[in-house]
Amino acid sequence: MKLTILGCSGSFPGPDSPSSGYLLESGGTRIALDLGNGTLGAMQRFIDPFQLNAVFFSHLHPDHCADFGALAVLRRYHPNPPHDATARRLPVIAPENAPERFAALYAPDATERAETDLSDVFEFIPIAAEPVRVGPFEVQAVPMAHLCASWGFRVAAEGKVLAYTGDTGPCPQLTELAADVDVLLSEASWADFPDAPEGVHLSGRQAAEVAKAARARRLLLTHIVPWADREEILAEAKAAFDGPTELVAADRTYDV
C-alpha cells in the first residue's frame, strides 16, 4: 500500500501545502481520503483524477472537502475523458448530508442548487458501521470527537493497515481506530497549550499517546495549522512515543 500526501496543512492551506488530502494505492486501485483546498491540483502530479476508484470524506469542513466542487467540474465537463463519467460513477463515501453540502459548494445560487443533482457522476454512499470494500482495500469508519460529525478511517490492504484520524480531539475511539496498525496518520494540529479547546484537535503529544496506547508501529503527523511550530509538535510527539515518528510533507510518498 502506497500513501501520497496531497496536502497536510490544517484548517486552511499553508505556504508549502494544500489542506488535507491523501491518496492510497494498492494493486492498481486508488482511493482518496479527503480533498481539501488545493488537493485536486496536487493529485494531478501523481494520477489522472479519473483513475480514482473511490473518495472517502472524514467530515465536511472545507479544509477536508473543498476540492470536491473542482472534481465535479472535471468529471462533468472534461471534453476528452478517458471514460464516461455517468456510466462509471465515482463512489463517494461521506457523511449522510454530503449530497446537499456538495451541491451547495458546486452551485452558486438557490435556483441552481434546486436543480443540481451531482449523482449523475457520483454515487453517494453514507458512512455506516459496516466496512466498505474497494478493490483490495477494506475501509472501516470509526466515529471521532470533533465540532461536527467526523470519522476516522482504518484502511487495510496487502496485509497492512493504516489508520487516519481525520479531525478529532482526544476520545476513547482513537485507540480502537489505531490498534496495532502499521501506520497511524494522525492529526496533530498544534503543540500543547493551556486551555486548549476540548473535542476539536490533537496536540503532538496527544497523537503520540494514542500511538503508544494503541501499539501503532509508526506515527505520521499531519494537519498542522500554518501558524504552529512544526518542530515543537514533532519534539513533543517523539518524547511520548518511541516508535518511528515524523512530520509528513506535501508531495511525499510513503510505503505502509
Side-chain angles (χ1 to χ4, degrees):
M1 185 175 7
K2 182 169 73 172
L3 165 68
T4 300
I5 309 300
L6 304 177
C8 55
S9 183
S11 300
F12 58 92
D16 301 313
S17 175
S19 295
S20 289
Y22 311 93
L23 175 66
L24 286 171
E25 300 176 78
S26 176
T29 299
R30 300 169 176 89
I31 64 174
L33 308 179
D34 289 339
L35 286 175
N37 322 56
T39 52
L40 187 66
M43 182 184 294
Q44 292 171 74
R45 293 195 285 272
F46 299 94
I47 66 166
D48 180 340
F50 278 96
Q51 294 177 315
L52 281 173
N53 297 100
V55 182
F56 292 77
F57 286 98
S58 64
H59 66 294
L60 300 180
H61 278 150
D63 60 318
H64 290 257
C65 73
D67 268 22
F68 182 89
L71 182 63
V73 171
L74 177 77
R75 290 184 62 81
R76 279 183 146 186
Y77 297 113
H78 195 295
N80 297 298
H83 59 258
D84 183 345
T86 61
R88 290 172 55 180
R89 295 187 303 158
L90 181 67
V92 175
I93 299 86
E96 188 174 13
N97 62 323
E100 294 79 14
R101 174 78 165 96
F102 290 151
L105 175 66
Y106 176 84
D109 54 48
T111 300
E112 187 169 342
R113 284 196 297 276
E115 301 173 351
T116 297
D117 181 2
L118 299 176
S119 64
D120 58 339
V121 292
F122 297 106
E123 177 189 4
F124 291 104
I125 302 169
I127 291 176
E130 298 78 19
V132 174
R133 291 206 65 94
V134 182
F137 291 105
E138 181 176 275
V139 184
Q140 176 71 58
V142 178
M144 297 284 103
H146 194 44
L147 298 170
C148 63
S150 188
W151 285 262
F153 295 118
R154 187 178 171 94
V155 185
E158 302 177 34
K160 300 290 186 178
V161 183
L162 174 142
Y164 167 53
T165 64
D167 280 7
T168 184
C171 62
Q173 302 95 299
L174 277 164
T175 305
E176 171 193 350
L177 175 77
D180 298 305
V181 296
D182 296 283
V183 171
L184 172 57
L185 177 63
S186 177
E187 77 125 282
S189 297
W190 47 50
D192 271 330
F193 65 94
D195 302 320
E198 295 183 6
V200 181
H201 292 300
L202 300 175
S203 68
R205 175 186 60 80
Q206 289 166 330
E209 289 175 347
V210 170
K212 182 176 181 178
R215 302 178 302 279
R217 294 172 182 81
R218 185 181 181 192
L219 176 60
L220 299 179
L221 301 173
T222 189
H223 196 272
I224 295 171
V225 298
W227 60 71
D229 185 327
R230 291 172 57 85
E231 293 307 316
E232 183 181 3
I233 291 169
L234 179 61
E236 68 180 34
K238 285 186 171 182
F241 177 61
D242 58 8
T245 303
E246 61 184 293
L247 303 169
V248 301
D251 288 348
R252 283 281 307 277
T253 295
Y254 304 83
D255 291 325
V256 177

